[in-house]
Amino acid sequence: MKNNYNDIIDILMTLLNDEEIASSIVVSGTIVPFLVTKKEPDEYIRDFSILVKKKNIDSIRKKVKNLSKEYTFDIVSDSKTYMVGEYGFKIKYNDTYVRFEPYSFLSNNFKVSSYVLSEDEKEIITKTNTLYNVTKNCIIRYTTFSDDKKIRIISPEYQLSKIELMNKKAFGPSTKVIEMLNRLSDESILKIVREKMENENVDIKRQAAKKDNQMLFIILGAVLVVLAMIVFLIIK
């Protein structure tokens, strides 16, 4: 199958053209070593993640929705449609899926939240990963994206440690990706991240997906406004 590297570059170029988006995102996933080395993958990278500063994710969500009107982005799901809380949203561009996941880096604690929606959309599984006492330079790096742009990426050391921890043989990344990450990793940093990863906290929750929550809140809000107007007219 032909690789989708050009589609991924198109997505990133579109996002980087917006200054607020560019300063709020970190690219994560098996695309990372190819971005660093500027080499096209032989394989098809079906999906990857874009981590978004949690304090900015609502604003970025609105911007991506606006971009979807101009470009062929298709927002396929949004955690806020199915539950209360912020666990990100997902888009599709041609046959490439991108997960926008909220993250924070406070007091040397790195936290990322994500979600999975069941096929029948009746259950949503949320996950929050927290890595403690780790410095930002171990987790996030810059790489040159084009002549005039840089992009923040998850460090090869973190990406490799995550793959090792997950230990996915059947559905994991290719041997080539692992070899590339090994070559790009600094051994001293890799040692630190591996140690921190052993004590990573993973909080997984399952709950019924309530797709109509947002509409319910809108209806309740409208009812309250009408009641307030009635009370005002009676008092007046």
Side-chain angles (χ1 to χ4, degrees):
M1 180 183 290
K2 180 183 175 183
N3 74 58
N4 57 330
Y5 188 71
N6 287 337
D7 286 345
I8 293 173
I9 297 301
D10 286 346
I11 293 168
L12 296 178
M13 284 295 292
T14 302
L15 297 174
L16 290 176
N17 283 334
D18 185 289
E19 189 174 333
E20 183 186 1
I21 296 178
S23 64
S24 299
I25 65 173
V26 181
V27 179
S28 177
T30 54
I31 188 59
V32 164
F34 299 102
L35 292 177
V36 175
T37 60
K38 310 294 187 296
K39 293 180 180 179
E40 289 194 24
D42 296 328
E43 60 205 85
Y44 195 96
I45 298 177
R46 185 175 181 272
D47 57 39
F48 66 99
S49 296
I50 290 180
L51 311 186
V52 184
K53 290 179 181 177
K54 188 173 182 178
K55 63 181 181 180
N56 296 341
I57 194 164
D58 255 339
S59 176
I60 304 307
R61 176 186 276 106
K62 291 172 185 175
K63 285 177 177 284
V64 172
K65 284 182 178 179
N66 286 333
L67 287 171
S68 70
K69 298 172 185 176
E70 183 178 354
Y71 301 95
T72 53
F73 290 163
D74 180 19
I75 299 175
V76 292
S77 71
D78 190 329
S79 64
K80 295 189 81 171
T81 303
Y82 298 92
M83 62 176 297
V84 175
E86 179 62 83
Y87 289 86
F89 59 99
K90 300 176 184 179
I91 71 168
K92 181 182 178 184
Y93 177 69
N94 292 334
D95 290 319
T96 303
Y97 291 85
V98 186
R99 301 180 298 273
F100 288 76
E101 301 172 346
Y103 86 93
S104 62
F105 217 126
L106 300 172
S107 302
N108 287 342
N109 295 330
F110 178 56
K111 182 179 292 188
V112 181
S113 297
S114 59
Y115 74 98
V116 175
L117 189 66
S118 63
E119 288 188 13
D120 60 7
E121 299 187 359
K122 290 183 178 180
E123 184 181 53
I124 188 166
I125 303 170
T126 62
K127 182 168 70 169
T128 300
N129 295 67
T130 306
L131 208 61
Y132 300 102
N133 300 316
V134 62
T135 56
K136 189 174 289 187
N137 68 303
C138 287
I139 306 298
I140 298 173
R141 305 278 176 78
Y142 278 95
T143 190
T144 304
F145 186 68
S146 63
D147 294 337
D148 61 340
K149 294 183 187 297
K150 287 190 174 182
I151 190 168
R152 294 193 306 162
I153 57 168
I154 281 293
S155 70
E157 294 85 1
Y158 179 87
Q159 193 70 54
L160 181 57
S161 298
K162 198 73 175 174
I163 290 170
E164 291 171 345
L165 186 67
M166 293 169 69
N167 194 26
K168 288 187 175 180
K169 295 181 179 179
F171 304 102
S174 66
T175 302
K176 181 177 181 179
V177 168
I178 295 173
E179 289 174 350
M180 291 175 72
L181 288 169
N182 264 305
R183 286 197 298 269
L184 293 169
S185 293
D186 180 291
E187 280 298 326
S188 60
I189 295 177
L190 183 59
K191 183 175 183 295
I192 293 170
V193 177
R194 279 171 172 161
E195 289 174 353
K196 300 299 182 183
M197 196 73 75
E198 289 178 2
N199 296 314
E200 182 184 38
N201 183 70
V202 182
D203 182 22
I204 300 175
K205 295 178 180 177
R206 293 174 178 266
Q207 65 182 74
K210 299 177 181 178
K211 191 172 183 179
D212 295 326
N213 272 352
Q214 191 173 8
M215 184 57 67
L216 178 60
F217 293 150
I218 292 172
I219 293 171
L220 288 174
V223 170
L224 289 173
V225 170
V226 171
L227 289 174
M229 290 177 63
I230 293 171
V231 171
F232 174 78
L233 291 172
I234 291 173
I235 294 174
K236 185 178 179 182

